[in-house]
Amino acid sequence: MKKVFTIFTLAVLLMPAAFADEGMWIPMLLGKNQAAMQKAGMHITAKDIYDINNACLKDAIILFNQGCTGEFVSDQGLFLTNHHCGYYYITSNSTVEHDYLTHGFWAMERNQEIPCKGLTATRLVRMENVTNRVLEGVDDKTPEAERERIVKQNIAILSVEAVAGTHYKAVIKPFYYGNQYFMYINEVFTDVRLVGAPPSNIGKFGGDTDNWMWPRHTGDFSMFRVYVGKDGKPANYSKTNVPYKPLKHLDISLKGVDEGDFTFVFGYPGTTQRYVTHDQVDLQALQENPVRIALRDIRLRHYNAAMNQSPAQRLKYASKVASIANGWKKWQGETLGILRLKGVQQKKDQEAAFQAWADKRPEYKNVLRDMGRAYDRLRPIELEWTYFNEAVMASDFMNRAYKLWSMARQTIDNDSLARIECDKLIAANQKYFEDFELHSPVDRAIFVETFLYMWRAGYSPYLDKKGKDEAGVQRMLENIYDKSMLNNHSKYDKFLKSYKAKNWQKVLNDPAVDLFSVAYSYAYTPDKETDYDINRREINRLMRTYVRGMMQQFPDSNFFPDANLTLRVAYGHVQGFRPKDAVYYTPYSTLEGIMEKENPDIYDYVVEPRLKELYNNHDYGRYANAKGEMPVAFIATNHTTGGNSGSPVLNADGQLIGINFDRCWEGTMSDLLFDPNYCRNISLDIRYCLFIIDKFAGAKHLIDEMTIVN
């Protein structure tokens, strides 16, 4: 009896249910959370957040492009997102003469707003559980490959039927590893224009040094506007388009936040893996992450050195460095968090509890055993591909070799298509060679060092053929870079202009293309790709069974599905935390901290003169807190991840109080394991955003568009 009690107690303690502040909840099903949210401090109802029959908060939320969130703050289509979300559109519209990244941009009139080619904003119209329709024709005995084919076919048919006769678009995604499916009916806007962005010394203050860290002092916001045709429907850019009138825009509260206040985040989290087994946690955090980190160290070292050489270099590499460094630093925090939590062992303990329950249930008895065997087969392939992606593809040199190799393979015996693709490469070359003399030494060093790192780790044995020792391999790599036509503008253009599809194998005469082809053929052999597909498919099948089993094991628990870039609600409280012994982080930062960090000799810590003037005069207007401080950012226990960047942070009354932009470094393992003692989302205080727009930029006309509640 004692043994049975012990197993049962362990199972309850290790059940994979959410902590109080953990979870990314489906808006349509938020009624299940309403009582808990109201007990936690929320004043509104689930229908105020999501209601298909009435305008509600979900109508104010948009998916910004395909990776961030935004929120409408006026009845004229004006919306906010993060500065780092709008980064590409700020830099792509910048020149050395009009450097909006460095100096900021503010449209003082509508006709000054800048069209952003390719940028979309997507609003959810409604969602629907379509599990039965999607799973028609499949059961537990259906082979996985056949199941995938039938599901894909059902999704395609249903997606077309659902939006027939409308301008909407349908997206259907799996939840709980394919145990359920939900359909999202969306309205996609294609005329989106840049309205405002602070200088990078505000929008990216602290740079990569402060990224993922607390305390934070980054004014991470940018402003855009959605335009539509005169009929109010989405339309491509036209001078005759008019500002969109959203069904709902957010009220903005100047009350601010205090420790313990209820908050919730409403946005599009990208990917989490809350229910994976210890095998995936070990593979991702303890085996792949160290490789990724080390190889990105090399790139960042060279790019950062180049950026310090000139403003032109800084502008050239800014977006690239931001993209590389974001994952680089996140993975470091994730790995340390998993080690601190003993995450692999924690998962093993949870699996032991499941196994004790599953032993008497034949359909679940062998799930974990079979999962482990599939991971054993998958692990070496995953690691090999990690090296390929982070080392072979690290340099622009190898990316250009890949493009030429890919063009040749895809246009075999099709001269007309080859001519089109070659002309594209010629145009790309023109831009690439404009600053080749500056860029080449940087890219050459990255190419050589990343390949050498991979060679030392034993993942590029093909390099041994021409270099038996490290010095020989290095000389061989340097010769490839120096002799390749990819680095000779006239020679490369001449080759492309005379290229014939039937001679596609001639591209391999170039040493760079030949090296890429060998590296690719080694990493992505048909056998490896087949083994990968078989084992990933097996893991997906087993995960579907495992999650279904856990939900049966704990039938009274409210399981939230892993994030998959669909609209979700996460809720928690404003709360500081203790990152280490004898240290406590308070939950908000102020402009005082910006002045403490100021260092005119370090680009990331330069303070704008106008901001310093406002600080010295304590000229904060109505945006100061009760203590007379200018709040900048705050932290809370909301469960967020990538994709939540730009998400509105709302108070108990559903009013906008902040813009989510990051997580604390100590809690970045929250995609795999959530620890309420460390997991904090970082948000820009909306008062600092308004202060920058109003007092710093003098763009009060934008403030006047908004609905502000004192």
Side-chain angles (χ1 to χ4, degrees):
M1 183 67 182
K2 182 178 180 180
K3 181 179 179 181
V4 173
F5 175 78
T6 301
I7 292 174
F8 175 77
T9 303
L10 180 66
V12 172
L13 292 174
L14 295 175
M15 61 190 294
F19 288 101
D21 293 331
E22 182 186 8
M24 299 175 176
W25 306 100
I26 300 173
M28 188 180 83
L29 305 179
L30 207 58
K32 295 180 180 179
N33 300 79
Q34 179 173 295
M37 294 176 74
Q38 290 178 336
K39 184 178 180 180
M42 184 175 74
H43 299 156
I44 59 178
T45 68
K47 280 202 167 187
D48 292 321
I49 298 172
Y50 178 90
D51 187 345
I52 62 170
N53 297 314
N54 299 286
C56 58
L57 291 177
K58 68 99 174 158
D59 295 310
I61 316 302
I62 54 173
L63 175 63
F64 182 85
N65 231 17
Q66 293 301 314
C68 283
T69 304
E71 53 275 353
F72 288 116
V73 291
S74 88
D75 63 359
Q76 293 295 305
L78 185 69
F79 70 88
L80 293 167
T81 187
N82 285 155
H83 185 270
H84 75 260
C85 292
Y87 206 77
Y88 171 80
Y89 298 97
I90 299 167
T91 57
S92 63
N93 285 295
S94 294
T95 62
V96 173
E97 294 77 21
H98 299 284
D99 187 350
Y100 302 137
L101 179 65
T102 300
H103 304 299
F105 169 78
W106 305 97
M108 293 302 176
E109 297 179 2
R110 296 277 172 87
N111 60 12
Q112 295 175 346
E113 295 174 358
I114 302 174
C116 297
K117 185 178 180 180
L119 177 57
T120 60
T122 302
R123 178 185 73 90
L124 173 65
V125 177
R126 63 178 176 85
M127 60 181 299
E128 178 184 348
N129 188 330
V130 292
T131 304
N132 292 337
R133 287 285 308 275
V134 171
L135 296 182
E136 280 182 6
V138 303
D139 56 32
D140 289 341
K141 296 180 180 179
T142 306
E144 195 65 12
E146 178 67 5
R147 183 186 192 277
E148 289 179 5
R149 186 192 66 79
I150 294 172
V151 165
K152 185 176 181 180
Q153 178 178 289
N154 290 344
I155 285 175
I157 294 171
L158 183 54
S159 298
V160 172
E161 289 178 355
V163 296
T166 75
H167 67 279
Y168 298 138
K169 296 184 179 180
V171 174
I172 298 175
K173 292 195 175 185
F175 288 74
Y176 305 106
Y177 292 86
N179 283 297
Q180 294 182 29
Y181 287 82
F182 284 81
M183 178 168 64
Y184 289 73
I185 305 299
N186 295 319
E187 187 172 35
V188 182
F189 302 98
T190 54
D191 185 355
V192 183
R193 307 181 193 181
L194 176 64
V195 175
S200 59
N201 286 332
I202 291 175
K204 204 175 182 294
F205 183 82
D208 295 324
T209 304
D210 281 7
N211 192 22
W212 300 102
M213 306 302 287
W214 184 259
R216 199 71 174 273
H217 300 89
T218 309
D220 197 347
F221 77 94
S222 55
M223 309 181 75
F224 294 80
R225 193 185 306 277
V226 170
Y227 282 77
V228 293
K230 291 183 179 180
D231 59 358
K233 294 180 180 179
N236 291 330
Y237 170 78
S238 170
K239 289 183 179 180
T240 62
N241 284 350
V242 297
Y244 170 64
K245 295 184 179 296
L247 296 174
K248 175 76 175 179
H249 69 275
L250 299 179
D251 293 344
I252 299 174
S253 172
L254 295 183
K255 185 179 179 181
V257 296
D258 293 314
E259 189 153 17
D261 282 357
F262 174 86
T263 65
F264 68 101
V265 174
F266 203 1
Y268 285 86
T271 303
T272 58
Q273 297 173 291
R274 176 65 175 85
Y275 303 107
V276 294
T277 63
H278 77 276
D279 294 288
Q280 180 65 34
V281 175
D282 177 74
L283 173 62
Q284 182 172 321
L286 305 185
Q287 296 188 52
E288 291 182 313
N289 280 1
V291 174
R292 294 183 180 118
I293 293 163
L295 284 163
R296 292 196 177 197
D297 275 339
I298 295 170
R299 284 198 275 172
L300 289 170
R301 172 163 44 85
H302 288 289
Y303 284 140
N304 284 324
M307 288 174 71
N308 290 330
Q309 298 301 311
S310 70
Q313 293 269 82
R314 177 167 295 280
L315 189 60
K316 174 178 177 56
Y317 292 122
S319 183
K320 188 189 292 279
V321 166
S323 176
I324 295 169
N326 194 53
W328 168 80
K329 197 163 189 177
K330 186 259 189 183
W331 294 325
Q332 294 177 62
E334 180 178 76
T335 295
L336 289 174
I338 292 298
L339 290 171
R340 184 185 66 243
L341 288 173
K342 298 180 176 61
V344 173
Q345 186 59 50
Q346 188 181 136
K347 284 288 187 178
K348 285 182 177 180
D349 292 342
Q350 184 185 104
E351 290 157 29
F354 177 85
Q355 191 62 56
W357 173 86
D359 278 339
K360 296 181 180 179
R361 296 164 174 83
E363 68 270 38
Y364 299 115
K365 184 176 181 179
N366 297 322
V367 167
L368 292 174
R369 182 203 66 184
D370 293 345
M371 188 101 69
R373 291 174 178 175
Y375 268 107
D376 287 343
R377 296 187 294 267
L378 184 71
R379 192 174 292 110
I381 303 173
E382 285 271 18
L383 285 169
E384 193 165 297
W385 289 359
T386 298
Y387 273 98
F388 181 89
N389 292 330
E390 295 292 341
V392 175
M393 301 304 294
S395 64
D396 285 348
F397 183 54
M398 278 292 98
N399 274 275
R400 297 171 73 232
Y402 158 69
K403 289 177 182 177
L404 179 56
W405 175 85
S406 179
M407 181 278 296
R409 286 170 59 93
Q410 292 175 15
T411 62
I412 296 173
D413 297 327
N414 190 334
D415 265 332
S416 59
L417 180 59
R419 184 74 268 127
I420 293 171
E421 295 303 316
C422 283
D423 287 344
K424 290 180 181 177
L425 290 176
I426 291 170
N429 286 345
Q430 183 62 39
K431 186 174 183 180
Y432 182 83
F433 280 99
E434 286 175 0
D435 60 352
F436 179 73
E437 294 302 320
L438 283 173
H439 176 60
S440 182
V442 177
D443 198 53
R444 185 179 192 265
I446 290 171
F447 163 67
V448 172
E449 289 187 38
T450 51
F451 261 94
L452 277 175
Y453 186 95
M454 183 172 60
W455 176 81
R456 293 188 200 106
Y459 281 88
S460 56
Y462 46 84
L463 294 180
D464 291 337
K465 295 179 180 179
K466 296 184 179 181
K468 295 297 184 182
D469 57 19
E470 184 167 329
V473 172
Q474 180 170 339
R475 283 194 300 272
M476 182 263 294
L477 291 169
E478 290 171 345
N479 285 335
I480 288 174
Y481 191 91
D482 295 338
K483 293 179 179 179
S484 172
M485 70 174 173
L486 301 183
N487 290 330
N488 185 315
H489 194 180
S490 60
K491 188 175 181 180
Y492 189 20
D493 274 7
K494 183 179 179 181
F495 174 84
L496 291 171
K497 288 175 182 177
S498 62
Y499 178 77
K500 300 296 182 184
K502 66 180 180 180
N503 298 325
W504 68 273
Q505 286 186 317
K506 285 187 176 181
V507 300
L508 298 178
N509 293 336
D510 184 87
V513 182
D514 181 58
L515 175 61
F516 174 84
S517 178
V518 171
Y520 183 87
S521 298
Y522 175 78
Y524 289 89
T525 66
D527 286 347
K528 289 173 185 175
E529 291 186 316
T530 298
D531 287 348
Y532 179 87
D533 289 342
I534 289 172
N535 287 293
R536 263 300 166 201
R537 193 171 280 133
E538 176 71 354
I539 289 170
N540 291 341
R541 181 186 70 80
L542 293 166
M543 277 300 301
R544 187 168 64 249
T545 305
Y546 179 46
V547 170
R548 184 169 68 241
M550 285 192 289
M551 296 173 83
Q552 291 179 17
Q553 184 185 9
F554 303 108
D556 296 328
S557 295
N558 190 10
F559 285 76
F560 67 91
D562 273 324
N564 57 1
L565 203 63
T566 57
L567 192 59
R568 305 289 184 88
V569 172
Y571 60 92
H573 298 83
V574 176
Q575 188 175 320
F577 72 106
R578 300 184 184 278
K580 53 189 174 182
D581 184 49
V583 175
Y584 181 74
Y585 283 154
T586 57
Y588 74 95
S589 63
T590 69
L591 185 53
E592 185 78 25
I594 292 177
M595 303 312 302
E596 291 172 354
K597 289 181 176 179
E598 180 185 18
N599 187 335
D601 297 325
I602 300 176
Y603 182 85
D604 288 335
Y605 294 112
V606 172
V607 177
E608 289 285 322
R610 173 59 178 160
L611 185 61
K612 189 183 298 187
E613 178 187 352
L614 292 167
Y615 167 79
N616 289 332
N617 294 331
H618 296 283
D619 186 6
Y620 306 146
R622 57 177 172 163
Y623 309 114
N625 65 15
K627 296 179 182 179
E629 303 165 320
M630 185 64 249
V632 174
F634 64 91
I635 54 175
T637 60
N638 302 295
H639 190 183
T640 61
T641 189
N644 276 125
S645 292
S647 295
V649 185
L650 304 159
N651 63 14
D653 296 310
Q655 298 165 337
L656 184 64
I657 54 173
I659 306 172
N660 183 81
F661 69 88
D662 210 348
R663 284 175 284 171
C664 290
W665 190 64
E666 296 84 354
T668 51
M669 71 290 167
S670 61
D671 290 346
L672 295 165
L673 288 171
F674 190 89
D675 182 353
N677 296 313
Y678 291 91
C679 292
R680 298 291 182 273
N681 69 301
I682 306 176
S683 303
L684 173 68
D685 194 303
I686 198 63
R687 293 171 294 182
Y688 187 61
C689 172
L690 299 178
F691 163 75
I692 294 298
I693 296 169
D694 186 352
K695 305 293 289 185
F696 176 86
K700 191 175 182 298
H701 62 289
L702 298 174
I703 302 291
D704 292 340
E705 277 192 49
M706 305 175 194
T707 303
I708 297 176
V709 179
N710 293 314

